[in-house]
Amino acid sequence: MAVALDRIRVGSAPDSWGVWFPDDPQQVPWRRFLDEVAEAGYSWIELGPYGYLPTDPARLTEEVERRGLRVSAGTIFCGLHRGPSEWDATWEQVSRVAALTRDMDAKHLVVIPSFWRDDKTAEILEPPELTTEQWGHLTRGMERLGREVKETYGLDIVVHPHADTHIDTEEHVERFLDSTDSGLVSLCLDTGHYAYCGGDSVKLIETYGERIGYLHLKQVDPEILADVVRNEIPFGPAVQRGVMCEPPAGVPELGPVLTAAQKLGVDLFAIVEQDMYPCEPDKPLPIAVRTRAFLRSCGA
């Protein structure tokens, strides 16, 4: 019998409906996303790209509440490894997203490092490895971000290791965690991205449990991933090949991940994100229904 995962709050996100951009004709309209995520049995959502969902807090509150939904987090991208010159542009973005996140009574801001390789064109934008100086900029910048987001908006930042960014592999994630203040910076562990980059989610939870502030549930198809790695395929085209797959068909096994998270003894969001950009509009809902049923079978 599955362990009762009573500290895990399961949700989903626009990403699982093929939404990567605020406005894109290939994406499901936002009303349909809200209708279908509620129909699939989820009660928590993320905001997704700023501007996809309504940005007026009163209107968005009305839209989510009448569907029985609540918001768990907002998301931003930033390139703080480039140094203090990045701060003003980062804060301008943060201030918009964090204000809406706070006004929706959410408590988390998911922070994704900027890509070193363009996810559409595959153009190499920056070297994949940071210099020592850049690591210093990144860690100090994230600590400052954590401090100021908490002081200004009352939110906790959770930094999201992500494919084709500088915080990706086990080595990079551990270096980042070892170099940052646990009181200022926590991690959003995305099980799919971590597996994509060769990491072991259960091991990370068991080793750095006090740093895990949030979860994204995702799986990768190991056969497609092997081809992606062998041919150095960028993340965007890899997603189009189906590298992020429907649970429980891929890795890592989510049951052990959720059990390890439950053992931390803290309340954690576990937000389903199956990258599917672009996808047919009728594809996400059946997958979401099956995924929610699967997670219930795990005890969530």
Side-chain angles (χ1 to χ4, degrees):
M1 186 175 176
V3 175
L5 303 173
D6 58 358
R7 305 303 293 267
I8 308 297
R9 290 170 286 183
V10 172
S12 193
D15 188 45
S16 296
W17 267 256
V19 175
W20 278 13
F21 304 101
D23 185 35
D24 187 308
Q26 296 188 85
Q27 295 178 169
V28 169
W30 65 266
R31 290 182 181 85
R32 180 170 179 178
F33 160 68
L34 291 178
D35 289 342
E36 292 188 351
V37 74
E39 183 181 342
Y42 294 101
S43 52
W44 293 93
I45 61 165
E46 291 184 0
L47 294 175
Y50 182 81
Y52 173 65
L53 294 174
T55 56
D56 174 61
R59 184 179 181 204
L60 184 55
T61 298
E62 179 186 353
E63 294 286 355
V64 298
E65 284 185 350
R66 67 186 181 85
R67 294 171 173 89
L69 299 170
R70 295 179 66 189
V71 174
S72 61
T75 303
I76 65 131
F77 288 82
C78 65
L80 293 173
H81 66 283
R82 299 186 191 113
S85 62
E86 283 286 304
W87 180 260
D88 288 347
T90 299
W91 190 252
E92 183 182 0
Q93 179 196 177
V94 167
S95 61
R96 291 193 303 269
V97 178
L100 180 59
T101 303
R102 174 200 61 200
D103 291 345
M104 298 308 295
D105 291 328
K107 302 298 180 190
H108 296 90
L109 184 68
V110 177
V111 179
I112 302 177
S114 57
F115 286 43
W116 55 260
R117 175 164 61 182
D118 190 285
D119 60 328
K120 279 191 168 180
T121 68
E123 178 190 358
I124 304 295
L125 306 173
E126 298 179 76
E129 292 287 337
L130 296 178
T131 65
T132 301
E133 181 183 31
Q134 288 173 320
W135 270 108
H137 289 321
L138 175 64
T139 54
R140 289 191 298 273
M142 287 293 192
E143 288 177 334
R144 180 183 178 188
L145 189 64
R147 183 183 302 109
E148 298 203 15
V149 166
K150 187 71 170 179
E151 289 176 354
T152 308
Y153 298 101
L155 306 177
D156 293 322
I157 70 164
V158 285
V159 177
H160 183 322
H162 196 292
D164 288 359
T165 77
H166 295 108
I167 307 178
D168 51 1
T169 61
E170 179 180 317
E171 178 188 359
H172 287 164
V173 169
E174 291 186 353
R175 180 172 180 174
F176 177 74
L177 291 173
D178 291 343
S179 304
T180 49
D181 184 338
S182 61
L184 298 172
V185 179
S186 294
L187 207 67
C188 169
L189 170 58
D190 184 303
T191 60
H193 279 280
Y194 202 50
Y196 185 104
C197 299
D200 181 332
S201 289
V202 171
K203 177 186 172 187
L204 187 68
I205 293 169
E206 291 176 344
T207 308
Y208 286 91
E210 76 283 356
R211 304 299 298 277
I212 307 297
Y214 199 92
L215 295 172
H216 279 170
L217 301 181
K218 189 179 297 179
Q219 286 190 326
V220 294
D221 180 313
E223 291 186 8
I224 297 176
L225 178 63
D227 183 62
V228 165
V229 172
R230 186 166 52 245
N231 294 297
E232 299 183 359
I233 296 168
F235 180 66
V239 167
Q240 293 182 30
R241 291 182 181 213
V243 71
M244 298 300 183
C245 62
E246 177 182 345
V251 295
E253 285 187 68
L254 294 181
V257 171
L258 291 167
T259 299
Q262 171 72 19
K263 288 179 181 176
L264 297 176
V266 296
D267 292 332
L268 283 173
F269 283 107
I271 304 299
V272 176
E273 277 201 333
Q274 183 183 343
D275 292 301
M276 293 195 296
Y277 178 85
C279 73
E280 294 298 320
D282 293 336
K283 184 179 179 182
L285 178 58
I287 292 175
V289 171
R290 291 191 296 266
T291 300
R292 187 69 193 94
F294 166 71
L295 292 173
R296 285 196 183 95
S297 76
C298 295

